[in-house]
C-alpha cells in the first residue's frame, strides 16, 4: 500500500474541506482559512507529484493521459458534485423554508429518483445509437437546465416547478453517470479496468464531499449577508442563533 500517498491525500482533502466550511464564519482573512486551504492545496499537489514517482501508486496518474478516461472521469466527478450538492441544499429548503415534514420531503425527492431510473434505462439505448460523448453531454446539459430552474426558486414557489426541475436533473444524472463510467472503462485495457473503475469511484466520492462543502459555503455567505440587516435590535444570543442556521432563524422569528 502507498501509505505516504494515502496520508497526503487524506490530510490534504481534510484541510481543504475544513477551510471551505469555516470560511463563511471566519472570513477569507482569517489564518485558519487561508492556512488550512493553502496547506490542503499544497499537500494535494505533493500527492500528485508523489504518485508519478512511486512504484506502486495509490492512483496511477498515467491513466489520465488517456483523453477518454480523463474526460469520462471529469464528467463522472461533476455528476457526483451536482447530485450531492442538490440534495444538501434542497432538503433543508423543503423542511426549514417551506415547512414540509421529513416524510413529505422524502416524497418530494421522488421525481429526481424516478428521473434517474428513466435516464439510466434510456441512456443505454442512446449510447448504442449516438455514443457515450453525446449521451454524457446531453446529461450534463439537462442537469444544468434543472439547476438553473432551481436557482430561481423562492419560498413561495409551488412544488410543480421544483418537481419538474428535479425530474430533469434526475434524467440528466441517469444519462451522465452510466455513460461516463462506460467511457472510463472503455478507455482501458482489461487488466486496468479494476484500477480505473476504483479511481473514478474514489474521485467521485471526493467530489461528493466537496459538493456540500462548496455549495454550503456559498449558501452560508449569501444567507449571512442577506440576514445581517434584519438582526438589528435582537439580543446577541438570539442574533447568533438566527445567523447560525435557517432553522435557528425560524425559531427566533417565531418568538
Amino acid at each position: 500500500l502507498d501509505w505516504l500517498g494515502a496520508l497526503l491525500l487524506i490530510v490534504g482533502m481534510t484541510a481543504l474541506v475544513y477551510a471551505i466550511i469555516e470560511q463563511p464564519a471566519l472570513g477569507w482573512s482569517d489564518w485558519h482559512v487561508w492556512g488550512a486551504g493553502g496547506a490542503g492545496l499544497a499537500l494535494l499537489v505533493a500527492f500528485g507529484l508523489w504518485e508519478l514517482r512511486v512504484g506502486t501508486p495509490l492512483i496511477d496518474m498515467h491513466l489520465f493521459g488517456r483523453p477518454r478516461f480523463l474526460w469520462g472521469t471529469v464528467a463522472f466527478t461533476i455528476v457526483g458534485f451536482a447530485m450531492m450538492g442538490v440534495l444538501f441544499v434542497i432538503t433543508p429548503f423543503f423542511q426549514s423554508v417551506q415547512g414540509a415534514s421529513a416524510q413529505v420531503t422524502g416524497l418530494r425527492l421522488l421525481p429526481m429518483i424516478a428521473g434517474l431510473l428513466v435516464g439510466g434505462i434510456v441512456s443505454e439505448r442512446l449510447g448504442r445509437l449516438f455514443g457515450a460523448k453525446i449521451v454524457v453531454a446531453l446529461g450534463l446539459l439537462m442537469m444544468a437546465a434543472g439547476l438553473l430552474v432551481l436557482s430561481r426558486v423562492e419560498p413561495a414557489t409551488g412544488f410543480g416547478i421544483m418537481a419538474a426541475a428535479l425530474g430533469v436533473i434526475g434524467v440528466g444524472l441517469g444519462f451522465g453517470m452510466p455513460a461516463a463510467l462506460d467511457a472510463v472503462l472503455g478507455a482501458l485495457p482489461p487488466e486496468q479496468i479494476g484500477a480505473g473503475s476504483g479511481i473514478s469511484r474514489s474521485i467521485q466520492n471526493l467530489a461528493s464531499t466537496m459538493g456540500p462543502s462548496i455549495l454550503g459555503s456559498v449558501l452560508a455567505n449569501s444567507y449571512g449577508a442577506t440576514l445581517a440587516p434584519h438582526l438589528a435590535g435582537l439580543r446577541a444570543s438570539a442574533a447568533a442563533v438566527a445567523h447560525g442556521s435557517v432553522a435557528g432563524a425560524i425559531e427566533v422569528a417565531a418568538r
Side-chain angles (χ1 to χ4, degrees):
L1 179 64
D2 176 17
W3 288 101
L4 180 57
L7 185 64
L8 288 170
L9 180 60
I10 292 170
V11 177
M13 280 297 300
T14 301
L16 187 60
V17 170
Y18 170 81
I20 293 170
I21 291 175
E22 292 297 318
Q23 187 277 323
L26 302 178
W28 288 113
S29 60
D30 191 278
W31 71 270
H32 289 91
V33 174
W34 57 259
L41 289 173
L43 288 171
L44 291 176
V45 170
F47 166 76
L49 295 174
W50 171 252
E51 296 303 285
L52 291 171
R53 293 182 53 193
V54 68
T56 54
L58 192 67
I59 294 178
D60 185 357
M61 304 298 285
H62 296 97
L63 292 177
F64 294 101
R66 301 170 182 265
R68 190 178 176 90
F69 178 86
L70 171 63
W71 293 110
T73 301
V74 168
F76 205 52
T77 301
I78 293 172
V79 167
F81 180 95
M83 180 174 66
M84 294 305 298
V86 167
L87 293 175
F88 177 78
V89 172
I90 201 71
T91 302
F93 176 81
F94 283 145
Q95 290 185 276
S96 297
V97 178
Q98 294 199 324
S101 66
Q103 184 177 16
V104 171
T105 296
L107 292 174
R108 287 186 174 187
L109 295 175
L110 287 178
M112 183 173 169
I113 298 169
L116 179 60
L117 293 174
V118 171
I121 294 170
V122 175
S123 68
E124 184 179 359
R125 299 173 185 173
L126 292 179
R128 289 197 298 265
L129 292 173
F130 303 108
K133 288 182 182 179
I134 299 297
V135 177
V136 171
L138 181 59
L140 293 177
L141 284 173
M142 294 182 71
M143 290 174 60
L147 289 168
L148 181 62
V149 172
L150 287 184
S151 74
R152 312 311 301 167
V153 164
E154 296 182 356
T157 300
F159 177 62
I161 294 174
M162 289 182 281
L166 288 170
V168 170
I169 291 172
V171 174
L173 287 169
F175 278 14
M177 206 177 282
L181 185 57
D182 286 346
V184 167
L185 299 182
L188 301 175
E191 67 273 11
Q192 291 184 310
I193 285 179
S197 176
I199 290 171
S200 294
R201 292 285 186 183
S202 299
I203 293 175
Q204 188 199 29
N205 286 334
L206 294 178
S208 298
T209 301
M210 297 300 289
S213 302
I214 293 175
L215 294 179
S217 180
V218 171
L219 189 63
N221 275 317
S222 177
Y223 171 70
T226 306
L227 185 69
H230 303 284
L231 297 180
L234 286 178
R235 294 195 311 273
S237 59
V241 171
H243 193 274
S245 69
V246 175
I250 292 172
E251 183 67 23
V252 170
R255 298 188 179 188

